[in-house]
Amino acid sequence: MTRAKHILFALLLVAGVASPQKGHAQVDYSNDSLRVVNAEWRTDTLEGFYLKRYQFGEGSLFCSAQYFCVIEIPARSHRKLAFSHDSIRATVSQLAQKSNAFAAINGSFFDMSRGNPVCYLKIDGQTLGENTPGRHDTVNRKYYQHATLRLQNGRATIALPDSNRRWEESLADSNVMTAGPMLLYKGQRVPQRNDRTFVTHRHNRTALGIKPDGSTLLFVADGRFSHRAEGLSLNELEMVMQWLGCTEAINLDGGGSTTMYIHDMPHDGVINYPSDNQRHDHEGQRPVSNAILLL
């Protein structure tokens, strides 16, 4: 283990106390875990997985309104995960339909103008994206490149890379996606930096988590609709993923990219309320570079 990784691992053992979101007063979140755990989630039992949804009313969770959608894939499910990429960008539903996927969420970060991934992406052995270097640091990875998804036989594992941005190139896996930051690692919340609005402000969020029994959660939180879904800071997202039972979790691309799709469901399969059209409906999908599919 490298020195950088030792430092990261030491930080992970410290469960950070959530700092108040910039622009929000310090509040007591002690009862919010019970609100998430005891919520009467609307649950649909589908073939090989569950779809769970819940609307938290205005002011009821983190002193805000929230709308969450969760796909839970049991460890013994016959469903398998896969990655998809389109060099010219396509919506999550288009990427899913192209691969005959049953469900999908948006994946990792990409260049909005060029459409190329800005985090490492390898699909079926073909490298499609690299961790873009920083302006002044071309060796270490950016803070949103500090977690890696590896698919093996359609099952996800989450890895903690070292600081070298080329670490993923040494992996023998055929399907690898880097994103971040890491949210949960070995059951602990990962301390987040507090100097980026990407971290401290509330936004739509997409995440993938793994429970101790091997079940996988695909999670989306809508945002940018203050009376229906304000969105989450990364500290709040960490807490929610932990309350949902995950011990490992990775943050994916969010904001206007956040989308959940399920085949043959209403609204052309769009489950959440993507915000790229700035309206609270199901029509606001953003064309993205890549997605995580459920086959």
Side-chain angles (χ1 to χ4, degrees):
M1 184 180 289
T2 65
R3 182 176 182 275
K5 200 164 184 177
H6 274 295
I7 294 171
L8 278 171
F9 184 72
L11 287 172
L12 297 177
L13 297 180
V14 181
V17 177
S19 58
Q21 180 181 343
K22 187 176 181 180
H24 289 253
Q26 179 71 56
V27 292
D28 181 7
Y29 295 152
S30 59
N31 293 321
D32 288 338
S33 61
L34 294 176
R35 294 188 181 100
V36 172
V37 172
N38 295 330
E40 295 183 1
W41 293 78
R42 174 184 173 183
T43 301
D44 296 294
T45 302
L46 302 173
E47 189 178 348
F49 67 98
Y50 303 100
L51 169 64
K52 300 179 179 181
R53 291 171 279 184
Y54 195 79
Q55 173 72 60
F56 294 90
E58 191 170 1
S60 64
L61 185 68
F62 303 127
C63 297
S64 62
Q66 301 287 343
Y67 184 64
F68 299 159
C69 300
V70 182
I71 289 174
E72 181 165 356
I73 309 155
R76 297 185 178 181
S77 173
H78 66 284
R79 297 285 179 188
K80 294 186 176 183
L81 295 172
F83 299 144
S84 177
H85 166 72
D86 194 313
S87 60
I88 60 174
R89 295 174 58 195
T91 64
V92 170
S93 59
Q94 288 169 340
L95 290 170
Q97 292 161 6
K98 184 178 179 180
S99 298
N100 294 316
F102 203 83
I105 58 172
N106 62 292
S108 190
F109 302 92
F110 60 95
D111 186 306
M112 288 283 290
S113 58
R114 299 180 181 179
N116 60 292
V118 295
C119 297
Y120 188 86
L121 179 63
K122 181 164 66 172
I123 301 178
D124 296 334
Q126 181 181 2
T127 299
L128 300 168
E130 298 182 351
N131 291 327
T132 57
R135 182 177 301 176
H136 303 295
D137 185 350
T138 61
V139 175
N140 298 304
R141 59 187 63 231
K142 297 179 180 180
Y143 67 100
Y144 55 80
Q145 299 167 343
H146 270 284
T148 298
L149 279 175
R150 303 164 69 176
L151 297 185
Q152 299 168 325
N153 298 319
R155 304 295 177 189
T157 58
I158 297 176
L160 176 66
D162 66 24
S163 61
N164 190 310
R165 69 181 183 88
R166 296 190 178 279
W167 175 84
E168 289 85 346
E169 296 175 9
S170 66
L171 299 177
D173 305 78
S174 297
N175 293 279
V176 179
M177 176 184 287
T178 290
M182 187 83 79
L183 301 170
L184 302 172
Y185 189 69
K186 296 188 176 182
Q188 300 292 328
R189 296 207 306 269
V190 179
Q192 301 295 333
R193 60 192 301 169
N194 60 9
D195 61 344
R196 295 289 187 276
T197 58
F198 169 82
V199 175
T200 60
H201 283 204
R202 287 175 173 157
H203 299 286
N204 323 48
R205 301 290 183 178
T206 305
L208 183 146
I210 300 173
K211 299 172 74 172
D213 66 357
S215 299
T216 300
L217 301 189
L218 308 180
F219 173 88
V220 300
D222 284 332
R224 301 179 181 167
F225 302 108
S226 59
H227 300 295
R228 296 284 296 174
E230 188 168 333
L232 300 171
S233 70
L234 284 190
N235 281 309
E236 291 166 344
L237 178 59
E238 284 184 339
M239 288 188 276
V240 170
M241 296 302 287
Q242 192 172 52
W243 298 337
L244 291 175
C246 297
T247 52
E248 316 283 334
I250 180 176
N251 179 64
L252 299 166
D253 188 16
S257 299
T258 290
T259 306
M260 179 177 286
Y261 165 88
I262 297 179
H263 175 68
D264 275 350
M265 294 290 280
H267 309 292
D268 295 323
V270 180
I271 302 301
N272 68 314
Y273 295 84
S275 68
D276 211 40
N277 63 352
Q278 301 179 16
R279 298 195 302 270
H280 191 256
D281 57 26
H282 299 279
E283 307 298 322
Q285 289 190 82
R286 170 184 291 173
V288 296
S289 170
N290 55 83
I292 300 174
L293 310 178
L294 185 61
L295 304 178

